[in-house]
Amino acid sequence: MSSLQSDHYPRAVNVDLQTDATLQVDISDALSERDKVKFTVHTKSTLPNFKQNEFSVVRQHEEFIWLHDSFVENEDYAGYIIPPAPPRPDFDASREKLQKLGEGEGSMTKEEFTKMKQELEAEYLAIFKKTVAMHEVFLCRVAAHPVLRKDLNFHVFLEYNQDLSVRGKNKKEKLEDFFKNVVKSADGVLVAGVKDVDDFFEHEKTFLLEYHNRVKDASAKSDRMIRSHKNAADDINRIASSLYSLGTQDSTDVCKYEHTHKIEARVAADEDLKLADLLKYYLRESQAAKDLLYRRSRSLVDYENANKALDKARAKNRDVLQAETSQQLCCHKFEKISESAKQELIDFKTRRVAAFRKNLVELAELELKHAKVKGLVTVRSR
Amino acid sequence: MCVCVCVCVCVQSGPASLPAEDISTNSNGPKQDSLFDDDPEDLFAEATEEVSLDSPERDVLLSDGPSPAITPITPPTSVITPRIGLAHDDMFTHSSFDEIEEEEGGDSFDIHIAVSDPEKVGDGMNAYMAYKVTTKTSLSLFKTDEFSVKRRFSDFLGLHSKLASKYLHIGYIVPPAPEKSIVGMTKVKVGKEDQSSNEFVEKRRSALERYLMRTVKHPILLKDPDVLQFLESSELPRAVSTQALSSAGLLRMVNKAADAVNKMTIKMNESDAWFEEKQQHFENLDVQLRKLHASVESLVCHRKELSVNTAQFAKSAAMLGNSEDHTALSRALSQLAEVEEKIDQLHQDQANADFYLFSELLGDYVRLITAVKGVFDHRMKTWQKWQDSQLLLQKKREAEAKLQFTNKPDKLQQAKDEIKELEGKVQQGERDFEQISKTIRKEVSRFEKERVKDFKTIIIKYLESLVQTQQQLIKYWEAFLPEAKAIS
C-alpha cells in the first residue's frame, strides 16, 4: 500500500496543454492496494455545469477506460482525435521481484538485503508515479479539448462521488471487441486504398502511417535499450556491494566505487521517463490520429457509396428521396469530420513538436547533469 | 642496480650436508658488498663456482618430466653467519629473505615482459599460435638488456609445471598458468578468422603476459633457471607432458583425485593460530572473489547487450527523424540518433575495459587463491609425513626394545641402524615442517601485499576509464542540447 501526494511527482509526459481557469483537472492523490489503484481526481472549475467550484472523487482504472470508450463510440466525436486511454497499472513484475527478494532474504547479508529492498521499492514507486501521470494526462487532454470537455459523461466522471459501477469487460465483450478490431483493421486496409482528393489528407495519411510504424519501432528499441541499461546498473550495484564487503575485510578503500554506480541506475530510470514514455505516448496518439483518419475515410467511402446509390436511384427513379436524405447525411457527416479533422491534425503536430522538444531538452540536461556528477564522484574517489 | 643472489639447490644426500652445488649468477656489483670474493668468513667461497647458463649441471635440472624432489636444506645455524647486505647462502633463512625483500623494495623492480604478435604457425589440427615474448630489463641476471623469443602456449604450461613441481611442495605460491581451452583453440586451428577467435587470442595473449609478469615478480622464481631459460633461450624442448591426453596428464588427474581424498583424512593438530586464521581468511576471500567475478562477467555481458540495443535504437531514431515532417524536429531526432550511436561505441569500449581490467584480474586471483590453498595443503602433508615417520620411529624403538631380550645380535644391529635412520628422518621432517611454515608466512604476506597493490592499480585504472567515458558523454550531450532547444 502506498500513497502519493500531489506535489511529489513530475509530469512525466508533458503534452503542453493550455489549461484555463474554467476547467482544471488533476490527480491529487493515489492509493495502491493489492490489485488495484485508486486515483483521487480533483477538479477546479468555474463552469455553471457543476454544483461546486472545487471537488474530488475517487476513480479506478476501469472507469477511465469506460470514459474513453464512451468517446470512441460517440458518433458526434468521430471527427476528433480521441485522447488515448491510459495503460493499465502493471505492478506484477515489480511485485514479483519484491517477493523473490523476500524469499531470498536468508541468503544475503543485512546490508545487501536493505539495499536491494530500497532499490525495488524505488522501482515500484517509479512505476506508480508513471501510471498516475498517464491517467492524469488523459484527463487533462479531455479537459483541454474544446468539445470533449463539455461531454456529459466526462462531467459525471468528474463529479459523481459514488462508484460508477462500471465493470470491466467480461470475456464475451472482450471477444466482441477483438472481432470488432479485426473487422476494423480489414476495413481500414480497404479504406486506405481509396485515394483522397484532398492533398492535405492524402499527405497526412501517408505521413501518419509511416510515422506510426517508426514510432512503434523506436519505442520497442528504446525499451530494450533501457532494459539492458537497467541490467547493467543492477550488476554494478551488486559489484559495488561485493567490493564494499571486500574492502571492509581488507583495508582497501574501493567502496566509493559504489556511489558512481548508484547514479548509473538513476540515469537508466530517467532515460526511461523521458525517452521511452514519450515514444510510447506518441505511439498511442499517432494510433488515435490514424483512427481519426480511418473514420474520415470511412465516411468518405460512405459518402461516395451514397452518391452512387443516389445516382442509381435517380436512374431507376425509385426511392430517390430516401437516397437523397441518406446522401445528404453522409455528405454532412463527411464535411463535418473533414473540417474538425484538419484542425485536430494540425494541433496534433503542434503538440507533438512541443512535447518532443521539451522531453529531448530535459533528457539532454539530465544526461549532462548525471555525467558531470558521475565524473566528479569518480575523480573524488580515486 | 644489480641483484646478486645465489640459489642453493641441493639434492638430499644425507642429513646435514653442506650444499653440494651452487648456481650463482654473475656478480658485478661494485657498490654492494661483494658476496663471494673478500669475506674471510665465507665458508662457501670454495664451494661456489660460477656456472654459466649453458653448463651441463644446469641441464640436469632442466630435464623435462618430474624432477627429483629437491628440498633445500637449512645448513646448521652455526655455519651461516648473518651478513649485512645480501647473504648468498640459501634464501630460506629468515634474515636473508627479508634483506632481499628490502633490496627489492628499495630499487624499482626492473624487469618488464611483453607478450605480443600472436601468429599462427602450421595448418589444420596441428596448428598453434606462437607468441613473441620480449623481456626488457636491467637486471644483471640476464645476458642483455632486451631480448625476445618465440613461445607457444604449451611452453608456458611446461614452465609452470616445472616450477610447480619444484616449489609448490615447499610452500611457495607458484602463479598458475592460464587455462587451456579446447574450444577456443580449435576455432583458431580451424582458421576461423572472426571476432570471437580474435578475442580469444587477445584474451590468451593478455593472460600469458600477466602470468609471466607475476612469475618474475616473485624473487625466488625469477632466479630459477627454468624461468631464465624460458625467457632467454631461442629453442625450448617441447613440453609434451602438458597435453591433456598424455600419460602425464592422466597421472596428474589421478594425483589430484588422490590428493582430494587425502585432504579429507588428514586431521592436523594445528598449533599455530596464524595458520588457522589465514586459512579461514583465504576461504572467505575465495568465496567473495568468485562472487565478484561472476558479477563482473555478467556486467560485461549486459554492457555488450546494451551497446547492441543502443545501436539499434539509434537506427530507429534516425528513421523516425526521416519520417518526421517538421524540419527542426527531424534534424534534432537525427542528431539524437547520432549521439546514441556514439554512446553505443562508448558502451562497447567500457565493456572491454570492464573485461580486460577487471574480470580477467579477478579470474587470475580466483586461480591464485586456489594455488595458495594448495600450499597450505602441502604444509599439512609435510606435517603428516613428519608424524608418520615419528610413529614409525616409535614402533621401531618398541621393536628394538623387544629385540634386546632375544639373542639376535645382527637383527638388533639392523634395528639400531634403522632407528638411527628414522631419527634422522624425523628430524628432517620436523625441519621441513618448520621450513614450510616459515616460507608460507613469507609468501602469504608477499601475496597479500601484491594483491592489495594489484587491486588498487586496477581500480584506479578502471575509475580513470570511467571518468573518460563521462567526459565523452558530456561532450556528446552538450552538442545535442542546442539542437533540441532549436526545435520551435
Side-chain angles (χ1 to χ4, degrees):
Chain A
M1 294 255 251
S2 49
S3 148
L4 218 53
Q5 294 309 307
S6 59
D7 47 3
H8 278 199
Y9 52 83
R11 292 258 167 86
V13 182
N14 185 306
V15 293
D16 229 9
L17 302 163
Q18 286 90 0
T19 47
D20 57 295
T22 51
L23 181 60
Q24 276 180 328
V25 183
D26 64 273
I27 296 184
S28 57
D29 194 8
L31 198 67
S32 161
E33 286 177 6
R34 188 176 307 277
D35 57 349
K36 52 185 181 244
V37 182
K38 293 205 169 109
F39 303 95
T40 305
V41 179
H42 168 248
T43 317
K44 257 210 302 231
S45 173
T46 55
L47 290 176
N49 319 51
F50 300 108
K51 295 197 201 83
Q52 298 165 293
N53 279 355
E54 190 168 345
F55 47 90
S56 291
V57 293
V58 177
R59 290 285 172 248
Q60 289 185 33
H61 175 71
E62 287 77 22
E63 291 161 319
F64 285 78
I65 300 300
W66 165 81
L67 184 61
H68 172 261
D69 290 348
S70 74
F71 289 150
V72 171
E73 286 156 13
N74 191 332
E75 282 280 333
D76 288 343
Y77 300 145
Y80 305 118
I81 296 181
I82 310 294
R88 204 180 73 85
D90 183 16
F91 296 103
D92 291 342
S94 191
R95 231 178 256 138
E96 219 181 278
K97 276 198 220 169
L98 269 169
Q99 199 172 5
K100 249 193 250 175
L101 181 67
E103 285 166 12
E105 182 173 356
S107 67
M108 52 178 101
T109 66
K110 193 91 180 18
E111 300 126 15
E112 272 176 24
F113 179 72
T114 34
K115 203 133 109 31
M116 287 223 71
K117 187 151 167 269
Q118 275 175 357
E119 274 156 36
L120 284 181
E121 282 177 349
E123 202 181 298
Y124 189 89
L125 200 65
I127 298 178
F128 190 53
K129 283 186 196 169
K130 210 176 4 160
T131 192
V132 167
M134 291 283 146
H135 285 75
E136 191 181 67
V137 158
F138 170 70
L139 292 178
C140 294
R141 281 267 278 122
V142 176
H145 195 282
V147 176
L148 293 177
R149 78 205 314 229
K150 301 191 195 124
D151 182 81
L152 191 60
N153 283 337
F154 185 47
H155 290 180
V156 167
F157 178 92
L158 289 177
E159 203 177 15
Y160 187 60
N161 55 10
Q162 302 285 335
D163 194 2
L164 287 176
S165 298
V166 163
R167 55 172 177 74
K169 297 197 168 149
N170 63 18
K171 263 206 202 125
K172 178 159 170 276
E173 284 166 345
K174 282 200 184 136
L175 204 61
E176 280 174 5
D177 272 353
F178 175 72
F179 278 121
K180 259 196 249 171
N181 273 331
V182 171
V183 169
K184 185 173 137 199
S185 28
D187 195 29
V189 173
L190 279 169
V191 157
V194 173
K195 181 133 171 55
D196 209 316
V197 185
D198 190 330
D199 276 342
F200 174 78
F201 284 105
E202 189 57 34
H203 168 81
E204 284 298 307
K205 215 178 354 175
T206 23
F207 165 73
L208 265 179
L209 199 63
E210 194 186 55
Y211 189 78
H212 175 80
N213 286 337
R214 301 229 172 130
V215 166
K216 197 175 351 186
D217 187 51
S219 174
K221 300 259 162 70
S222 83
D223 278 347
R224 278 227 293 269
M225 176 174 80
I226 282 156
R227 246 204 316 275
S228 299
H229 207 159
K230 232 219 113 258
N231 284 340
D234 285 344
D235 282 333
I236 287 169
N237 280 330
R238 262 198 292 272
I239 290 172
S241 54
S242 304
L243 276 177
Y244 184 73
S245 57
L246 207 71
T248 49
Q249 212 204 25
D250 318 320
S251 40
T252 44
D253 48 356
V254 294
C255 43
K256 293 161 191 159
Y257 181 65
E258 204 177 344
H259 296 297
T260 61
H261 298 288
K262 273 239 167 64
I263 298 174
E264 184 126 6
R266 223 182 302 151
V267 171
D270 287 340
E271 267 183 30
D272 190 7
L273 275 181
K274 296 278 155 251
L275 207 49
D277 286 356
L278 177 71
L279 291 170
K280 271 203 216 81
Y281 186 79
Y282 275 94
L283 182 62
R284 290 200 298 278
E285 274 259 5
S286 57
Q287 181 63 48
K290 272 172 72 182
D291 289 344
L292 169 63
L293 280 180
Y294 162 72
R295 288 195 291 272
R296 180 177 167 282
S297 299
R298 176 85 251 157
S299 78
L300 176 61
V301 168
D302 290 343
Y303 179 35
E304 286 177 356
N305 287 343
N307 270 337
K308 285 196 203 123
L310 181 60
D311 288 342
K312 238 201 284 186
R314 280 195 180 137
K316 287 196 191 147
N317 212 350
R318 225 174 10 148
D319 300 322
V320 173
L321 193 61
Q322 193 186 18
E324 266 179 1
T325 23
S326 144
Q327 189 254 22
Q328 264 178 357
L329 228 66
C330 286
C331 175
H332 176 74
K333 180 171 170 194
F334 172 67
E335 279 170 1
K336 182 168 155 225
I337 289 182
S338 291
E339 196 182 307
S340 57
K342 195 163 193 164
Q343 190 54 49
E344 288 281 303
L345 288 168
I346 292 172
D347 285 345
F348 172 61
K349 179 161 168 175
T350 320
R351 269 202 316 272
R352 186 176 77 240
V353 172
F356 267 80
R357 179 187 194 280
K358 180 165 190 285
N359 281 292
L360 287 177
V361 168
E362 283 178 6
L363 172 69
E365 286 174 346
L366 263 171
E367 293 269 2
L368 272 173
K369 185 171 95 173
H370 286 146
K372 286 190 179 134
V373 172
K374 225 161 126 176
L376 217 64
V377 174
T378 315
V379 167
R380 259 193 282 129
S381 64
R382 275 199 280 173
Chain B
M1 256 147 282
C2 61
V3 173
C4 308
V5 147
C6 112
V7 174
C8 291
V9 175
C10 324
V11 179
Q12 176 164 2
S13 51
S17 61
L18 292 177
E21 197 176 350
D22 256 354
I23 296 176
S24 61
T25 57
N26 305 335
S27 70
N28 67 343
K31 333 152 199 87
Q32 313 292 350
D33 296 335
S34 69
L35 299 185
F36 317 115
D37 320 322
D38 314 278
D39 202 315
E41 289 180 46
D42 185 358
L43 295 165
F44 301 137
E46 300 90 42
T48 316
E49 15 171 3
E50 287 271 333
V51 177
S52 74
L53 292 177
D54 307 306
S55 75
E57 288 99 321
R58 205 157 156 248
D59 284 331
V60 167
L61 287 158
L62 299 181
S63 60
D64 204 6
S67 26
I70 301 169
T71 46
I73 299 175
T74 319
T77 43
S78 57
V79 177
I80 296 174
T81 51
R83 306 168 56 99
I84 316 153
L86 285 181
H88 75 80
D89 38 61
D90 76 313
M91 316 278 295
F92 312 129
T93 55
H94 187 98
S95 50
S96 55
F97 203 145
D98 269 358
E99 282 152 14
I100 287 161
E101 278 187 6
E102 276 166 39
E103 265 297 314
E104 229 80 275
D107 35 27
S108 60
F109 182 67
D110 201 4
I111 174 169
H112 184 77
I113 302 187
V115 174
S116 58
D117 305 327
E119 54 174 339
K120 189 162 159 202
V121 176
D123 251 330
M125 286 314 286
N126 289 328
Y128 62 90
M129 292 302 276
Y131 302 89
K132 183 161 122 179
V133 177
T134 313
T135 314
K136 284 202 193 100
T137 176
S138 65
L139 293 176
S140 56
L141 209 54
F142 300 96
K143 286 189 263 196
T144 51
D145 278 356
E146 184 170 340
F147 47 89
S148 62
V149 291
K150 283 238 173 241
R151 294 283 177 257
R152 55 183 288 189
F153 186 65
S154 56
D155 294 336
F156 289 82
L157 292 183
L159 174 66
H160 169 73
S161 96
K162 285 186 212 157
L163 293 177
S165 64
K166 279 200 258 182
Y167 292 103
L168 262 184
H169 65 268
I170 49 174
Y172 288 100
I173 301 173
V174 177
E179 285 173 339
K180 283 172 173 270
S181 163
I182 299 181
V183 174
M185 260 331 273
T186 316
K187 265 204 229 160
V188 171
K189 285 191 212 229
V190 163
K192 260 180 95 184
E193 270 289 328
D194 67 343
Q195 175 84 358
S196 68
S197 62
N198 286 341
E199 275 178 15
F200 170 77
V201 171
E202 174 53 32
K203 197 166 127 174
R204 176 160 278 190
R205 181 208 68 78
S206 168
L208 290 173
E209 193 172 278
R210 287 195 309 273
Y211 166 66
L212 282 181
M213 279 306 284
R214 223 170 256 131
T215 307
V216 298
K217 275 204 186 120
H218 194 302
I220 309 276
L221 296 180
L222 171 61
K223 316 301 192 302
D224 183 279
D226 280 325
V227 171
L228 298 175
Q229 187 195 38
F230 182 90
L231 291 176
E232 281 187 318
S233 74
S234 47
E235 283 301 318
L236 207 61
R238 178 101 182 271
V240 191
S241 67
T242 58
Q243 282 167 351
L245 297 176
S246 67
S247 57
L250 289 172
L251 190 66
R252 265 199 299 276
M253 281 198 282
V254 169
N255 280 337
K256 260 201 195 146
D259 280 349
V261 171
N262 279 337
K263 194 168 143 183
M264 292 192 280
T265 56
I266 295 181
K267 268 279 147 65
M268 178 158 167
N269 193 1
E270 188 57 80
S271 52
D272 196 338
W274 186 91
F275 282 92
E276 226 175 282
E277 178 199 315
K278 279 300 169 186
Q279 266 187 300
Q280 192 57 44
H281 164 77
F282 281 112
E283 287 289 332
N284 291 344
L285 200 58
D286 191 26
V287 166
Q288 285 178 329
L289 283 183
R290 276 177 205 273
K291 203 161 77 164
L292 189 57
H293 188 214
S295 299
V296 174
E297 287 197 314
S298 162
L299 174 63
V300 170
C301 180
H302 283 144
R303 249 208 229 282
K304 287 213 170 111
E305 215 177 81
L306 177 60
S307 153
V308 166
N309 287 341
T310 309
Q312 284 189 333
F313 173 71
K315 282 203 200 90
S316 185
M319 297 276 281
L320 188 64
N322 279 342
S323 64
E324 175 64 66
D325 55 359
H326 186 270
T327 20
L329 180 55
S330 167
R331 194 172 48 238
L333 283 171
S334 312
Q335 286 289 80
L336 179 69
E338 271 180 40
V339 167
E340 292 287 350
E341 217 176 282
K342 293 197 197 124
I343 290 180
D344 144 48
Q345 191 53 48
L346 269 186
H347 279 308
Q348 181 84 298
D349 295 339
Q350 185 67 52
N352 285 335
D354 288 344
F355 179 68
Y356 285 112
L357 288 187
F358 228 157
S359 171
E360 288 283 273
L361 177 76
L362 286 171
D364 285 352
Y365 268 95
V366 166
R367 281 197 299 276
L368 267 170
I369 294 213
T370 312
V372 172
K373 291 209 278 194
V375 149
F376 277 97
D377 289 343
H378 275 297
R379 177 172 171 270
M380 270 212 294
K381 275 200 243 170
T382 313
W383 181 85
Q384 187 67 49
K385 207 163 121 194
W386 173 31
Q387 294 302 313
D388 285 346
S389 44
Q390 260 191 334
L391 240 66
L392 195 58
L393 176 63
Q394 191 157 357
K395 275 203 203 129
K396 289 281 178 191
R397 284 209 171 116
E398 287 171 3
E400 190 227 11
K402 282 198 198 136
L403 277 176
Q404 292 273 9
F405 300 109
T406 65
N407 198 4
K408 292 189 187 146
D410 43 334
K411 275 236 169 100
L412 192 61
Q413 187 55 39
Q414 186 188 33
K416 278 202 162 61
D417 289 338
E418 281 177 357
I419 286 177
K420 192 137 177 241
E421 201 182 320
L422 275 177
E423 278 175 351
K425 271 220 178 90
V426 166
Q427 270 188 322
Q428 184 57 48
E430 183 171 4
R431 271 201 296 270
D432 285 346
F433 180 70
E434 276 172 20
Q435 191 49 59
I436 195 176
S437 302
K438 225 180 263 175
T439 309
I440 291 182
R441 279 181 193 262
K442 288 299 145 14
E443 283 289 283
V444 164
S445 90
R446 198 186 67 89
F447 176 80
E448 289 287 275
K449 256 201 276 194
E450 278 296 317
R451 176 172 73 85
V452 167
K453 204 163 70 171
D454 266 352
F455 271 82
K456 230 182 202 139
T457 321
I458 288 303
I459 290 194
I460 288 178
K461 264 208 214 132
Y462 185 65
L463 290 179
E464 280 176 357
S465 81
L466 281 184
V467 168
Q468 275 228 334
T469 312
Q470 296 319 309
Q471 287 177 339
Q472 280 295 86
L473 275 179
I474 289 174
K475 267 214 297 237
Y476 295 151
W477 286 110
E478 273 180 350
F480 175 71
L481 193 56
E483 281 289 340
K485 287 197 170 145
I487 307 171
S488 59

